[in-house]
Amino acid sequence: MRREWLALLLVLTITVSAAALSIISSHNPENPSNTKVKVVATFYPLAYMAEGIGGDRVSVKTLIPYNTEVHSWQPSMADMITVSEADVILLNGGGLDWWMGEILNSINMSGKLIVDTSQGLELLPLGSENGHEGDHIERGDYDPHIWLSPYMAVRQAERIFSALVEKDSSGVKYYQERFEALKKRLEDLDDRYQKELANKTKEVIIVAHEAYGYLAARYGFRQQGVIGISADQQPSIQAIRDLVDIMTRYNIRVIYLDPAYSASYVMALKSDVEAKTGWDVQIMKLYLALGPADGKDYLGQLEANLEALIVGLRGS
Ligand SMILES: [Zn+2]
């Protein structure tokens, strides 16, 4: 399989190089699209940040289609070509886009800037508090969901900003201004999370997918997942039973679900808790921000997540 890939890649590389030569020979210096920094982001939040900071000076492509389950996604040959044409390659890191290493090993890296936006960040170990160890298919030992925390996202944006300046130093003023604007919005949101969740009455949230560990760590609560880290996993009967116990014990009447995930297990949990307690259990959206959704962009989803968390953590 790997050998076939490489053979195919060799053919494609020759084809692409030939095409590139013909483009250069007919190159029109007036065409600004030729001068844009070509950015490839592995998934939506990074593309959103790159577009926010890079504006007109960059063209951004995203590999993982919007609102797709990211943990089990695999690149295709076409994605490999997209990466091979990029100037700047943005990774989330933390094991989320582990497959990029295989692509980078197979392409010509000269002139490319690879940016692991999680580098130097303090990542949370995986599986420390949930009952799903062994379930998850994360590559690596860390929780990769840093983009859902506005505090961590500022750090990711910082790395993207530095990379754009490194690649296109004549745009430094432009990038700086746009980065500061994005940073301010994220920092304001972090402040709001701090303030709004300071007087919470609950300590635990129930989520379909345990993607909110960085919010939990920063704002002082815990998350308990219904399914494992990947959308195509199933909870055991015992896992559902444990969750019913937790919800009953801590008086939790909200279950969070990203619209990209199946509602079936969450519905089963809801009806079990309702049958046992007579409560009304509410299912609320907590976005994973894997693409625009419900008319909300990345930041809009982080804002909506705060509103949803206020309901769950400050409820009576
Ligand atoms: Zn996830």
Side-chain angles (χ1 to χ4, degrees):
M1 179 59 192
R2 190 61 39 82
R3 198 164 295 169
E4 284 160 16
W5 255 49
L6 285 174
L8 186 53
L9 184 72
L10 188 65
V11 172
L12 282 163
T13 307
I14 293 164
T15 317
V16 169
S17 307
L21 278 176
S22 67
I23 288 164
I24 289 163
S25 59
S26 65
H27 172 236
N28 173 5
E30 308 294 334
N31 183 353
S33 73
N34 284 339
T35 63
K36 288 192 180 191
V37 179
K38 291 198 211 78
V39 178
V40 167
T42 52
F43 76 142
Y44 171 67
L46 303 178
Y48 177 93
M49 292 178 204
E51 272 165 2
I53 300 165
D56 293 338
R57 298 185 73 96
V58 301
S59 69
V60 181
K61 286 185 178 169
T62 310
L63 294 180
I64 303 179
Y66 291 165
N67 296 311
T68 301
E69 213 294 306
V70 284
H71 301 291
S72 52
W73 188 83
Q74 297 268 311
S76 69
M77 202 64 216
D79 297 313
M80 201 157 172
I81 293 166
T82 304
V83 174
S84 74
E85 290 167 344
D87 302 314
V88 177
I89 297 158
L90 302 177
L91 301 174
N92 182 74
L96 186 91
D97 26 29
W98 57 272
W99 38 262
M100 184 61 87
E102 293 186 2
I103 294 183
L104 297 179
N105 281 334
S106 325
I107 63 173
N108 180 1
M109 300 278 286
S110 75
K112 292 194 193 312
L113 200 54
I114 318 298
V115 186
D116 176 346
T117 60
S118 72
Q119 196 156 39
L121 300 188
E122 205 176 307
L123 300 185
L124 297 170
L126 256 191
S128 51
E129 69 173 40
N130 64 66
H132 297 304
E133 292 120 80
D135 272 1
H136 56 73
I137 55 153
E138 296 291 348
R139 312 297 160 126
D141 304 322
Y142 296 99
D143 181 343
H145 301 95
I146 43 179
W147 69 93
L148 290 169
S149 153
Y151 175 80
M152 297 297 266
V154 171
R155 274 84 207 148
Q156 291 187 283
E158 224 153 39
R159 279 155 188 79
I160 295 170
F161 163 61
S162 306
L164 291 180
V165 171
E166 187 178 336
K167 201 72 208 172
D168 175 28
S169 56
S170 60
V172 61
K173 220 176 151 278
Y174 181 82
Y175 294 135
Q176 177 90 42
E177 235 162 63
R178 297 179 65 98
F179 165 65
E180 295 296 345
L182 175 63
K183 182 180 175 188
K184 178 158 192 336
R185 289 189 67 190
L186 286 165
E187 285 180 345
D188 287 351
L189 189 55
D190 175 46
D191 284 348
R192 279 184 53 209
Y193 267 84
Q194 302 264 28
K195 287 196 190 87
E196 301 278 2
L197 299 179
N199 52 352
K200 58 188 175 305
T201 54
K202 314 222 188 252
E203 301 299 323
V204 189
I205 61 168
I206 306 294
V207 295
H209 168 53
E210 287 179 345
Y212 308 93
Y214 292 92
L215 294 179
R218 183 154 178 85
Y219 309 115
F221 60 91
R222 290 186 294 123
Q223 63 172 345
Q224 197 74 48
V226 179
I227 45 180
I229 210 96
S230 181
D232 42 23
Q233 288 169 341
Q234 300 179 19
S236 66
I237 290 171
Q238 186 57 48
I240 292 286
R241 213 172 277 158
D242 291 347
L243 287 168
V244 172
D245 285 347
I246 290 169
M247 289 182 67
T248 311
R249 192 168 354 125
Y250 293 99
N251 189 23
I252 297 170
R253 303 185 184 200
V254 174
I255 305 170
Y256 292 109
L257 176 71
D258 180 272
Y261 273 65
S262 154
S264 56
Y265 307 120
V266 164
M267 293 303 289
L269 177 60
K270 169 185 156 80
S271 58
D272 282 3
V273 174
E274 287 179 340
K276 186 173 170 184
T277 60
W279 301 340
D280 273 332
V281 173
Q282 207 183 340
I283 293 176
M284 292 191 75
K285 285 180 184 173
L286 203 57
Y287 292 100
L288 293 168
L290 299 176
D294 300 333
K296 293 177 179 65
D297 64 9
Y298 166 72
L299 265 172
Q301 291 176 49
L302 297 198
E303 280 164 11
N305 282 355
L306 171 58
E307 299 309 320
L309 287 169
I310 289 171
V311 175
L313 287 167
R314 295 212 314 222
S316 50

PDB file of all heavy atoms in Angstrom, residues 12-43:
ATOM      1  N   LEU A  12       2.801  11.768  -9.882  1.00  0.00           N
ATOM      2  CA  LEU A  12       2.084  13.028  -9.676  1.00  0.00           C
ATOM      3  C   LEU A  12       3.058  14.191  -9.512  1.00  0.00           C
ATOM      4  O   LEU A  12       2.811  15.277 -10.012  1.00  0.00           O
ATOM      5  CB  LEU A  12       1.179  12.913  -8.448  1.00  0.00           C
ATOM      6  CG  LEU A  12      -0.107  12.136  -8.716  1.00  0.00           C
ATOM      7  CD1 LEU A  12      -0.733  11.696  -7.404  1.00  0.00           C
ATOM      8  CD2 LEU A  12      -1.092  12.982  -9.513  1.00  0.00           C
ATOM      9  N   THR A  13       4.160  13.933  -8.812  1.00  0.00           N
ATOM     10  CA  THR A  13       5.141  14.989  -8.586  1.00  0.00           C
ATOM     11  C   THR A  13       5.699  15.478  -9.910  1.00  0.00           C
ATOM     12  O   THR A  13       5.817  16.672 -10.151  1.00  0.00           O
ATOM     13  CB  THR A  13       6.292  14.470  -7.688  1.00  0.00           C
ATOM     14  OG1 THR A  13       5.720  13.914  -6.522  1.00  0.00           O
ATOM     15  CG2 THR A  13       7.238  15.597  -7.308  1.00  0.00           C
ATOM     16  N   ILE A  14       5.993  14.513 -10.783  1.00  0.00           N
ATOM     17  CA  ILE A  14       6.526  14.878 -12.104  1.00  0.00           C
ATOM     18  C   ILE A  14       5.472  15.692 -12.862  1.00  0.00           C
ATOM     19  O   ILE A  14       5.758  16.736 -13.435  1.00  0.00           O
ATOM     20  CB  ILE A  14       6.930  13.602 -12.894  1.00  0.00           C
ATOM     21  CG1 ILE A  14       8.123  12.945 -12.189  1.00  0.00           C
ATOM     22  CG2 ILE A  14       7.263  13.949 -14.331  1.00  0.00           C
ATOM     23  CD1 ILE A  14       8.374  11.524 -12.617  1.00  0.00           C
ATOM     24  N   THR A  15       4.229  15.224 -12.810  1.00  0.00           N
ATOM     25  CA  THR A  15       3.140  15.922 -13.504  1.00  0.00           C
ATOM     26  C   THR A  15       2.968  17.332 -12.956  1.00  0.00           C
ATOM     27  O   THR A  15       2.875  18.296 -13.702  1.00  0.00           O
ATOM     28  CB  THR A  15       1.814  15.150 -13.320  1.00  0.00           C
ATOM     29  OG1 THR A  15       2.084  13.768 -13.485  1.00  0.00           O
ATOM     30  CG2 THR A  15       0.784  15.593 -14.335  1.00  0.00           C
ATOM     31  N   VAL A  16       2.956  17.407 -11.607  1.00  0.00           N
ATOM     32  CA  VAL A  16       2.763  18.711 -10.972  1.00  0.00           C
ATOM     33  C   VAL A  16       3.923  19.643 -11.307  1.00  0.00           C
ATOM     34  O   VAL A  16       3.729  20.809 -11.623  1.00  0.00           O
ATOM     35  CB  VAL A  16       2.606  18.544  -9.434  1.00  0.00           C
ATOM     36  CG1 VAL A  16       2.681  19.895  -8.742  1.00  0.00           C
ATOM     37  CG2 VAL A  16       1.283  17.869  -9.120  1.00  0.00           C
ATOM     38  N   SER A  17       5.165  19.108 -11.281  1.00  0.00           N
ATOM     39  CA  SER A  17       6.335  19.935 -11.579  1.00  0.00           C
ATOM     40  C   SER A  17       6.251  20.464 -13.004  1.00  0.00           C
ATOM     41  O   SER A  17       6.528  21.639 -13.252  1.00  0.00           O
ATOM     42  CB  SER A  17       7.622  19.129 -11.429  1.00  0.00           C
ATOM     43  OG  SER A  17       7.647  18.529 -10.164  1.00  0.00           O
ATOM     44  N   ALA A  18       5.849  19.608 -13.925  1.00  0.00           N
ATOM     45  CA  ALA A  18       5.721  20.033 -15.319  1.00  0.00           C
ATOM     46  C   ALA A  18       4.670  21.130 -15.428  1.00  0.00           C
ATOM     47  O   ALA A  18       4.880  22.144 -16.098  1.00  0.00           O
ATOM     48  CB  ALA A  18       5.333  18.838 -16.187  1.00  0.00           C
ATOM     49  N   ALA A  19       3.584  20.940 -14.729  1.00  0.00           N
ATOM     50  CA  ALA A  19       2.518  21.945 -14.743  1.00  0.00           C
ATOM     51  C   ALA A  19       3.033  23.250 -14.137  1.00  0.00           C
ATOM     52  O   ALA A  19       2.759  24.335 -14.649  1.00  0.00           O
ATOM     53  CB  ALA A  19       1.308  21.433 -13.973  1.00  0.00           C
ATOM     54  N   ALA A  20       3.793  23.121 -13.059  1.00  0.00           N
ATOM     55  CA  ALA A  20       4.319  24.313 -12.385  1.00  0.00           C
ATOM     56  C   ALA A  20       5.241  25.086 -13.321  1.00  0.00           C
ATOM     57  O   ALA A  20       5.191  26.311 -13.387  1.00  0.00           O
ATOM     58  CB  ALA A  20       5.075  23.904 -11.119  1.00  0.00           C
ATOM     59  N   LEU A  21       6.082  24.366 -14.079  1.00  0.00           N
ATOM     60  CA  LEU A  21       6.991  25.022 -15.016  1.00  0.00           C
ATOM     61  C   LEU A  21       6.220  25.814 -16.059  1.00  0.00           C
ATOM     62  O   LEU A  21       6.568  26.944 -16.388  1.00  0.00           O
ATOM     63  CB  LEU A  21       7.875  23.967 -15.700  1.00  0.00           C
ATOM     64  CG  LEU A  21       9.085  23.522 -14.889  1.00  0.00           C
ATOM     65  CD1 LEU A  21       9.815  22.407 -15.633  1.00  0.00           C
ATOM     66  CD2 LEU A  21      10.022  24.694 -14.638  1.00  0.00           C
ATOM     67  N   SER A  22       5.141  25.195 -16.560  1.00  0.00           N
ATOM     68  CA  SER A  22       4.374  25.897 -17.588  1.00  0.00           C
ATOM     69  C   SER A  22       3.674  27.113 -16.999  1.00  0.00           C
ATOM     70  O   SER A  22       3.490  28.118 -17.681  1.00  0.00           O
ATOM     71  CB  SER A  22       3.371  24.956 -18.257  1.00  0.00           C
ATOM     72  OG  SER A  22       2.383  24.584 -17.335  1.00  0.00           O
ATOM     73  N   ILE A  23       3.323  27.031 -15.717  1.00  0.00           N
ATOM     74  CA  ILE A  23       2.714  28.202 -15.081  1.00  0.00           C
ATOM     75  C   ILE A  23       3.749  29.320 -14.946  1.00  0.00           C
ATOM     76  O   ILE A  23       3.488  30.472 -15.252  1.00  0.00           O
ATOM     77  CB  ILE A  23       2.136  27.832 -13.686  1.00  0.00           C
ATOM     78  CG1 ILE A  23       0.881  26.982 -13.851  1.00  0.00           C
ATOM     79  CG2 ILE A  23       1.807  29.082 -12.879  1.00  0.00           C
ATOM     80  CD1 ILE A  23       0.444  26.254 -12.612  1.00  0.00           C
ATOM     81  N   ILE A  24       4.956  28.935 -14.507  1.00  0.00           N
ATOM     82  CA  ILE A  24       5.999  29.946 -14.320  1.00  0.00           C
ATOM     83  C   ILE A  24       6.302  30.666 -15.648  1.00  0.00           C
ATOM     84  O   ILE A  24       6.420  31.882 -15.695  1.00  0.00           O
ATOM     85  CB  ILE A  24       7.284  29.301 -13.744  1.00  0.00           C
ATOM     86  CG1 ILE A  24       7.037  28.896 -12.292  1.00  0.00           C
ATOM     87  CG2 ILE A  24       8.471  30.252 -13.827  1.00  0.00           C
ATOM     88  CD1 ILE A  24       8.036  27.901 -11.746  1.00  0.00           C
ATOM     89  N   SER A  25       6.354  29.884 -16.733  1.00  0.00           N
ATOM     90  CA  SER A  25       6.724  30.500 -18.011  1.00  0.00           C
ATOM     91  C   SER A  25       5.646  31.477 -18.496  1.00  0.00           C
ATOM     92  O   SER A  25       5.944  32.422 -19.203  1.00  0.00           O
ATOM     93  CB  SER A  25       6.991  29.419 -19.060  1.00  0.00           C
ATOM     94  OG  SER A  25       5.827  28.636 -19.220  1.00  0.00           O
ATOM     95  N   SER A  26       4.401  31.258 -18.077  1.00  0.00           N
ATOM     96  CA  SER A  26       3.358  32.198 -18.489  1.00  0.00           C
ATOM     97  C   SER A  26       2.924  33.057 -17.306  1.00  0.00           C
ATOM     98  O   SER A  26       1.829  33.568 -17.260  1.00  0.00           O
ATOM     99  CB  SER A  26       2.153  31.424 -19.037  1.00  0.00           C
ATOM    100  OG  SER A  26       1.582  30.656 -18.001  1.00  0.00           O
ATOM    101  N   HIS A  27       3.811  33.190 -16.350  1.00  0.00           N
ATOM    102  CA  HIS A  27       3.488  33.865 -15.093  1.00  0.00           C
ATOM    103  C   HIS A  27       3.206  35.351 -15.300  1.00  0.00           C
ATOM    104  O   HIS A  27       3.990  36.082 -15.901  1.00  0.00           O
ATOM    105  CB  HIS A  27       4.665  33.666 -14.130  1.00  0.00           C
ATOM    106  CG  HIS A  27       4.554  34.453 -12.876  1.00  0.00           C
ATOM    107  ND1 HIS A  27       5.514  35.326 -12.466  1.00  0.00           N
ATOM    108  CD2 HIS A  27       3.578  34.509 -11.952  1.00  0.00           C
ATOM    109  CE1 HIS A  27       5.138  35.894 -11.335  1.00  0.00           C
ATOM    110  NE2 HIS A  27       3.959  35.407 -11.004  1.00  0.00           N
ATOM    111  N   ASN A  28       2.092  35.769 -14.776  1.00  0.00           N
ATOM    112  CA  ASN A  28       1.717  37.171 -14.888  1.00  0.00           C
ATOM    113  C   ASN A  28       1.981  37.863 -13.561  1.00  0.00           C
ATOM    114  O   ASN A  28       1.311  37.590 -12.581  1.00  0.00           O
ATOM    115  CB  ASN A  28       0.228  37.246 -15.254  1.00  0.00           C
ATOM    116  CG  ASN A  28      -0.297  38.660 -15.231  1.00  0.00           C
ATOM    117  OD1 ASN A  28       0.463  39.613 -15.032  1.00  0.00           O
ATOM    118  ND2 ASN A  28      -1.592  38.802 -15.433  1.00  0.00           N
ATOM    119  N   PRO A  29       2.948  38.767 -13.497  1.00  0.00           N
ATOM    120  CA  PRO A  29       3.312  39.381 -12.211  1.00  0.00           C
ATOM    121  C   PRO A  29       2.209  40.262 -11.632  1.00  0.00           C
ATOM    122  O   PRO A  29       2.244  40.594 -10.458  1.00  0.00           O
ATOM    123  CB  PRO A  29       4.548  40.210 -12.554  1.00  0.00           C
ATOM    124  CG  PRO A  29       4.514  40.389 -14.032  1.00  0.00           C
ATOM    125  CD  PRO A  29       3.762  39.255 -14.598  1.00  0.00           C
ATOM    126  N   GLU A  30       1.220  40.652 -12.463  1.00  0.00           N
ATOM    127  CA  GLU A  30       0.134  41.487 -11.956  1.00  0.00           C
ATOM    128  C   GLU A  30      -0.871  40.676 -11.147  1.00  0.00           C
ATOM    129  O   GLU A  30      -1.665  41.231 -10.407  1.00  0.00           O
ATOM    130  CB  GLU A  30      -0.636  42.148 -13.119  1.00  0.00           C
ATOM    131  CG  GLU A  30       0.219  42.898 -14.131  1.00  0.00           C
ATOM    132  CD  GLU A  30       0.880  44.120 -13.537  1.00  0.00           C
ATOM    133  OE1 GLU A  30       0.341  44.657 -12.563  1.00  0.00           O
ATOM    134  OE2 GLU A  30       1.953  44.508 -14.034  1.00  0.00           O
ATOM    135  N   ASN A  31      -0.843  39.378 -11.327  1.00  0.00           N
ATOM    136  CA  ASN A  31      -1.862  38.542 -10.685  1.00  0.00           C
ATOM    137  C   ASN A  31      -1.554  38.366  -9.199  1.00  0.00           C
ATOM    138  O   ASN A  31      -0.597  37.686  -8.848  1.00  0.00           O
ATOM    139  CB  ASN A  31      -1.901  37.181 -11.386  1.00  0.00           C
ATOM    140  CG  ASN A  31      -2.984  36.292 -10.810  1.00  0.00           C
ATOM    141  OD1 ASN A  31      -3.613  36.639  -9.800  1.00  0.00           O
ATOM    142  ND2 ASN A  31      -3.197  35.156 -11.432  1.00  0.00           N
ATOM    143  N   PRO A  32      -2.349  38.990  -8.315  1.00  0.00           N
ATOM    144  CA  PRO A  32      -2.006  38.930  -6.896  1.00  0.00           C
ATOM    145  C   PRO A  32      -2.166  37.529  -6.296  1.00  0.00           C
ATOM    146  O   PRO A  32      -1.544  37.236  -5.287  1.00  0.00           O
ATOM    147  CB  PRO A  32      -2.983  39.921  -6.256  1.00  0.00           C
ATOM    148  CG  PRO A  32      -4.129  40.024  -7.215  1.00  0.00           C
ATOM    149  CD  PRO A  32      -3.575  39.741  -8.577  1.00  0.00           C
ATOM    150  N   SER A  33      -2.961  36.665  -6.935  1.00  0.00           N
ATOM    151  CA  SER A  33      -3.159  35.330  -6.352  1.00  0.00           C
ATOM    152  C   SER A  33      -1.854  34.538  -6.366  1.00  0.00           C
ATOM    153  O   SER A  33      -1.659  33.628  -5.567  1.00  0.00           O
ATOM    154  CB  SER A  33      -4.257  34.577  -7.098  1.00  0.00           C
ATOM    155  OG  SER A  33      -3.792  34.175  -8.358  1.00  0.00           O
ATOM    156  N   ASN A  34      -0.948  34.901  -7.255  1.00  0.00           N
ATOM    157  CA  ASN A  34       0.340  34.216  -7.293  1.00  0.00           C
ATOM    158  C   ASN A  34       1.216  34.584  -6.109  1.00  0.00           C
ATOM    159  O   ASN A  34       2.136  33.871  -5.773  1.00  0.00           O
ATOM    160  CB  ASN A  34       1.091  34.570  -8.576  1.00  0.00           C
ATOM    161  CG  ASN A  34       0.515  33.834  -9.762  1.00  0.00           C
ATOM    162  OD1 ASN A  34      -0.155  32.814  -9.583  1.00  0.00           O
ATOM    163  ND2 ASN A  34       0.756  34.345 -10.948  1.00  0.00           N
ATOM    164  N   THR A  35       0.960  35.736  -5.516  1.00  0.00           N
ATOM    165  CA  THR A  35       1.822  36.202  -4.448  1.00  0.00           C
ATOM    166  C   THR A  35       1.254  35.864  -3.074  1.00  0.00           C
ATOM    167  O   THR A  35       1.891  36.111  -2.069  1.00  0.00           O
ATOM    168  CB  THR A  35       2.017  37.725  -4.544  1.00  0.00           C
ATOM    169  OG1 THR A  35       0.737  38.346  -4.371  1.00  0.00           O
ATOM    170  CG2 THR A  35       2.594  38.121  -5.884  1.00  0.00           C
ATOM    171  N   LYS A  36       0.053  35.343  -3.039  1.00  0.00           N
ATOM    172  CA  LYS A  36      -0.529  35.007  -1.735  1.00  0.00           C
ATOM    173  C   LYS A  36       0.225  33.843  -1.090  1.00  0.00           C
ATOM    174  O   LYS A  36       0.685  32.941  -1.782  1.00  0.00           O
ATOM    175  CB  LYS A  36      -1.997  34.635  -1.904  1.00  0.00           C
ATOM    176  CG  LYS A  36      -2.865  35.850  -2.210  1.00  0.00           C
ATOM    177  CD  LYS A  36      -4.334  35.526  -2.083  1.00  0.00           C
ATOM    178  CE  LYS A  36      -5.144  36.780  -2.398  1.00  0.00           C
ATOM    179  NZ  LYS A  36      -6.547  36.650  -2.058  1.00  0.00           N
ATOM    180  N   VAL A  37       0.298  33.879   0.212  1.00  0.00           N
ATOM    181  CA  VAL A  37       0.903  32.766   0.942  1.00  0.00           C
ATOM    182  C   VAL A  37      -0.105  31.621   0.942  1.00  0.00           C
ATOM    183  O   VAL A  37      -1.257  31.791   1.352  1.00  0.00           O
ATOM    184  CB  VAL A  37       1.228  33.179   2.395  1.00  0.00           C
ATOM    185  CG1 VAL A  37       1.832  32.006   3.156  1.00  0.00           C
ATOM    186  CG2 VAL A  37       2.156  34.381   2.423  1.00  0.00           C
ATOM    187  N   LYS A  38       0.333  30.463   0.453  1.00  0.00           N
ATOM    188  CA  LYS A  38      -0.579  29.308   0.399  1.00  0.00           C
ATOM    189  C   LYS A  38      -0.528  28.562   1.724  1.00  0.00           C
ATOM    190  O   LYS A  38       0.494  27.987   2.088  1.00  0.00           O
ATOM    191  CB  LYS A  38      -0.185  28.374  -0.742  1.00  0.00           C
ATOM    192  CG  LYS A  38      -0.447  28.965  -2.116  1.00  0.00           C
ATOM    193  CD  LYS A  38      -0.449  27.836  -3.148  1.00  0.00           C
ATOM    194  CE  LYS A  38       0.038  28.326  -4.494  1.00  0.00           C
ATOM    195  NZ  LYS A  38       1.508  28.455  -4.578  1.00  0.00           N
ATOM    196  N   VAL A  39      -1.647  28.590   2.409  1.00  0.00           N
ATOM    197  CA  VAL A  39      -1.736  27.951   3.723  1.00  0.00           C
ATOM    198  C   VAL A  39      -2.631  26.729   3.617  1.00  0.00           C
ATOM    199  O   VAL A  39      -3.706  26.799   3.023  1.00  0.00           O
ATOM    200  CB  VAL A  39      -2.327  28.936   4.770  1.00  0.00           C
ATOM    201  CG1 VAL A  39      -2.453  28.259   6.125  1.00  0.00           C
ATOM    202  CG2 VAL A  39      -1.481  30.196   4.865  1.00  0.00           C
ATOM    203  N   VAL A  40      -2.183  25.622   4.169  1.00  0.00           N
ATOM    204  CA  VAL A  40      -3.048  24.450   4.313  1.00  0.00           C
ATOM    205  C   VAL A  40      -3.216  24.176   5.794  1.00  0.00           C
ATOM    206  O   VAL A  40      -2.233  24.054   6.532  1.00  0.00           O
ATOM    207  CB  VAL A  40      -2.467  23.216   3.597  1.00  0.00           C
ATOM    208  CG1 VAL A  40      -3.207  21.953   4.013  1.00  0.00           C
ATOM    209  CG2 VAL A  40      -2.572  23.391   2.091  1.00  0.00           C
ATOM    210  N   ALA A  41      -4.472  24.148   6.222  1.00  0.00           N
ATOM    211  CA  ALA A  41      -4.784  23.844   7.618  1.00  0.00           C
ATOM    212  C   ALA A  41      -5.412  22.459   7.664  1.00  0.00           C
ATOM    213  O   ALA A  41      -6.168  22.100   6.763  1.00  0.00           O
ATOM    214  CB  ALA A  41      -5.757  24.877   8.183  1.00  0.00           C
ATOM    215  N   THR A  42      -5.105  21.696   8.703  1.00  0.00           N
ATOM    216  CA  THR A  42      -5.687  20.359   8.747  1.00  0.00           C
ATOM    217  C   THR A  42      -7.190  20.407   8.995  1.00  0.00           C
ATOM    218  O   THR A  42      -7.926  19.607   8.453  1.00  0.00           O
ATOM    219  CB  THR A  42      -5.019  19.481   9.822  1.00  0.00           C
ATOM    220  OG1 THR A  42      -5.040  20.181  11.075  1.00  0.00           O
ATOM    221  CG2 THR A  42      -3.590  19.144   9.444  1.00  0.00           C
ATOM    222  N   PHE A  43      -7.650  21.386   9.788  1.00  0.00           N
ATOM    223  CA  PHE A  43      -9.097  21.462  10.011  1.00  0.00           C
ATOM    224  C   PHE A  43      -9.551  22.890  10.298  1.00  0.00           C
ATOM    225  O   PHE A  43      -8.740  23.814  10.418  1.00  0.00           O
ATOM    226  CB  PHE A  43      -9.549  20.448  11.066  1.00  0.00           C
ATOM    227  CG  PHE A  43      -9.236  20.809  12.496  1.00  0.00           C
ATOM    228  CD1 PHE A  43     -10.153  20.526  13.507  1.00  0.00           C
ATOM    229  CD2 PHE A  43      -8.038  21.406  12.839  1.00  0.00           C
ATOM    230  CE1 PHE A  43      -9.888  20.838  14.824  1.00  0.00           C
ATOM    231  CE2 PHE A  43      -7.760  21.732  14.162  1.00  0.00           C
ATOM    232  CZ  PHE A  43      -8.686  21.440  15.150  1.00  0.00           C
TER     233      PHE A  43
END
